[in-house]
């Protein structure tokens, strides 16, 4: 297991009521209702959507870091579409994920290099590596 030498940021939230409750950050910047996945009632989101949003944002940041190191400019319209599945299998509930990366205008080899570097350094990718099935494609 990797150990942190210096904490850069700590996100703090409190969730009440689980998947039918709410989550709020200690600074009040996040204050959302939660609903079960696939639910049509309520105006909330679910943990899988939050995980997908966090991972895709972090992945773009990791690609930006890789691009700066390679002296390449990320396209202004870079995007990562993330899908996080909640499912069941032998042994209970599991997640799996797909990241579809769009780097319009970049040479395919350069784009793949940035994606590979991002997947190697993104904290979300590191946390999931070897734990869930992850597919990353260049869209």
């Amino acid at each position: 297991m990797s150990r942190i030498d210096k904490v850069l940021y700590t996100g703090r939230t409190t969730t009440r009521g689980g998947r039918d409750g709410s989550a709020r950050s200690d600074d009040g910047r996040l204050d959302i209702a939660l609903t079960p996945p696939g639910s049509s009632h309520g105006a909330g989101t679910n943990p899988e959507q939050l995980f997908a949003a966090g991972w895709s944002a972090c992945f773009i940041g990791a690609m930006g870091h890789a691009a700066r190191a390679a002296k390449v400019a990320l396209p202004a319209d870079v995007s990562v579409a993330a899908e996080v599945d909640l499912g069941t299998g032998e042994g209970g509930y599991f997640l799996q994920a797909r990241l579809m990366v769009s780097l319009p205008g970049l040479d395919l080899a350069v784009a793949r290099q940035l994606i590979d570097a991002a997947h190697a350094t993104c904290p979300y990718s590191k946390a999931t590596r070897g734990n869930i099935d992850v597919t990353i494609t260049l869209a």
Side-chain angles (χ1 to χ4, degrees):
M1 174 176 21
S2 300
R3 299 183 65 74
I4 292 177
D5 293 325
K6 179 182 177 185
V7 173
L8 302 175
Y9 176 77
T10 300
R12 292 180 180 89
T13 64
T14 301
T15 300
R16 300 186 193 290
R19 289 180 178 271
D20 272 318
S22 63
R24 187 173 197 288
S25 62
D26 66 333
D27 62 6
R29 296 181 80 181
L30 176 75
D31 191 358
I32 57 169
L34 298 172
T35 57
S39 173
S40 61
H41 74 278
T45 187
N46 60 64
E48 291 73 26
Q49 289 174 332
L50 293 170
F51 188 70
W55 193 354
S56 58
C58 185
F59 201 87
I60 290 172
M63 284 192 300
H65 181 75
R68 286 187 295 282
K71 298 185 181 354
V72 174
L74 277 185
D77 52 352
V78 59
S79 66
V80 174
E83 297 176 346
V84 175
D85 300 323
L86 170 65
T88 59
E90 187 176 322
Y93 292 94
F94 298 96
L95 298 176
Q96 65 184 17
R98 291 168 302 285
L99 302 179
M100 288 76 62
V101 180
S102 177
L103 293 164
L106 275 188
D107 174 78
L108 291 179
V110 172
R112 178 51 55 196
Q113 176 188 5
L114 297 181
I115 290 168
D116 291 345
H119 192 49
T121 60
C122 172
Y124 283 76
S125 292
K126 288 179 180 181
T128 59
R129 188 168 291 113
N131 295 311
I132 68 171
D133 184 32
V134 177
T135 303
I136 301 175
T137 58
L138 178 59

